[in-house]
Amino acid sequence: MIGRDYAFLKGNYQLLNHYAKVQFNNVSIEDFYRAVNESKPSYIRIEADMLIIIRYEIEKALFQNEIEVKDLPQI
């Protein structure tokens, strides 16, 4: 769960690198973020739940006119 929020990760990645130098020596913050947040089919329900929550938040924002359909690919 540490790397799910980019803002949190950005503020703490240097600390993570300090304590895990060998594991993260040649890993950029962007690569780490992408790896932690990879979306793929899984039988593990908690991963599916996260996608359902994200979809719900996007749909809610659409219905409340907070975002536009044309912005969905970026979101």
Side-chain angles (χ1 to χ4, degrees):
M1 298 306 279
I2 288 175
R4 298 273 183 193
D5 182 61
Y6 189 80
F8 176 84
L9 182 61
K10 189 174 180 181
N12 292 283
Y13 193 67
Q14 188 174 9
L15 184 63
L16 181 63
N17 261 326
H18 174 75
Y19 287 104
K21 290 178 184 173
V22 175
Q23 291 85 354
F24 299 105
N25 193 24
N26 295 315
V27 179
S28 72
I29 188 171
E30 290 80 14
D31 289 341
F32 182 84
Y33 180 75
R34 256 186 261 125
V36 170
N37 291 289
E38 179 182 23
S39 177
K40 61 185 176 189
S42 172
Y43 292 109
I44 300 174
R45 183 186 164 116
I46 193 163
E47 292 177 10
D49 287 349
M50 180 65 78
L51 291 176
I52 291 169
I53 292 168
I54 292 169
R55 180 179 173 176
Y56 167 77
E57 293 295 331
I58 291 171
E59 289 176 352
K60 185 170 82 170
L62 273 171
F63 288 118
Q64 294 176 346
N65 295 318
E66 295 172 358
I67 60 174
E68 296 183 22
V69 173
K70 68 177 179 70
D71 298 325
L72 286 176
Q74 182 180 1
I75 292 170

